C-alpha cells in the first residue's frame, strides 16, 4: 500500500472501483431476478421445496449473473492491475483495447 500511495497517491488505492460499481449492481439485479425465475420453474409449490432444489436455483442464478457481467469483471481487473505509470487508462480506453485485441467475428 505504501508503494501505491507513493506512486499514485490516494487515487491509486481506488483504481478499478468505478468498474466494480458498474459490475456489482447489474450482477445483483440479474442474480435476484434469475433466482426467482429458476425457483419458480424448479419449485412448483411448497411441497417440492427442498434444500437441494433451492441450492440448484441459487447456483443457476449465480451462473447466469456471472455470464452476463463477466466482461465488466475483466475491465475491472485490467484497471486494478495496470502497471504503466506514465499514462492512466480510463474505462473507455480499456473497452477499446479489449475490443481491438479480440474483435467480434462476423
Amino acid at each position: 500500500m505504501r508503494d501505491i500511495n507513493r506512486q499514485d497517491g490516494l487515487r491509486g488505492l481506488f483504481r478499478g472501483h468505478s468498474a466494480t460499481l458498474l459490475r456489482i449492481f447489474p450482477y445483483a439485479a440479474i442474480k435476484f431476478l434469475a433466482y426467482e425465475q429458476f425457483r419458480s420453474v424448479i419449485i412448483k409449490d411448497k411441497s417440492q421445496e427442498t434444500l437441494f432444489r433451492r441450492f440448484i436455483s441459487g447456483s443457476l442464478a449465480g451462473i447466469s449473473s456471472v455470464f452476463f457481467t463477466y466482461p465488466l469483471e475483466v475491465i475491472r481487473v485490467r484497471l486494478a492491475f495496470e502497471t504503466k505509470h506514465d499514462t492512466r487508462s480510463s474505462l473507455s480506453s480499456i473497452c477499446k483495447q479489449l475490443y481491438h485485441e479480440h474483435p467480434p467475428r462476423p
Side-chain angles (χ1 to χ4, degrees):
M1 280 186 41
R2 221 175 313 164
D3 292 340
I4 293 172
N5 192 27
R6 190 174 338 121
Q7 292 173 355
D8 297 325
L10 187 62
R11 188 174 177 183
L13 295 173
F14 295 99
R15 181 170 287 163
H17 186 66
S18 59
T20 299
L21 293 177
L22 285 174
R23 181 190 64 89
I24 197 67
F25 291 117
Y27 173 84
I30 292 168
K31 188 174 178 183
F32 177 76
L33 293 173
Y35 176 76
E36 292 301 323
Q37 294 300 311
F38 285 123
R39 188 173 186 269
S40 69
V41 169
I42 294 172
I43 304 170
K44 302 278 188 216
D45 59 15
K46 222 32 170 162
S47 66
Q48 292 182 333
E49 188 167 350
T50 63
L51 185 61
F52 179 72
R53 288 177 186 236
R54 286 173 46 194
F55 175 76
I56 293 299
S57 299
S59 298
L60 291 172
I63 290 168
S64 300
S65 58
V66 167
F67 177 78
F68 288 109
T69 59
Y70 189 75
L72 295 172
E73 180 68 14
V74 172
I75 294 167
R76 183 194 70 79
V77 169
R78 292 252 179 137
L79 283 171
F81 290 104
E82 189 175 49
T83 57
K84 290 187 225 169
H85 295 291
D86 53 343
T87 60
R88 287 194 182 273
S89 295
S90 65
L91 197 61
S92 61
S93 67
I94 295 286
C95 291
K96 288 176 189 173
Q97 179 185 1
L98 284 170
Y99 178 80
H100 292 296
E101 283 179 11
H102 303 287
R105 294 183 183 146

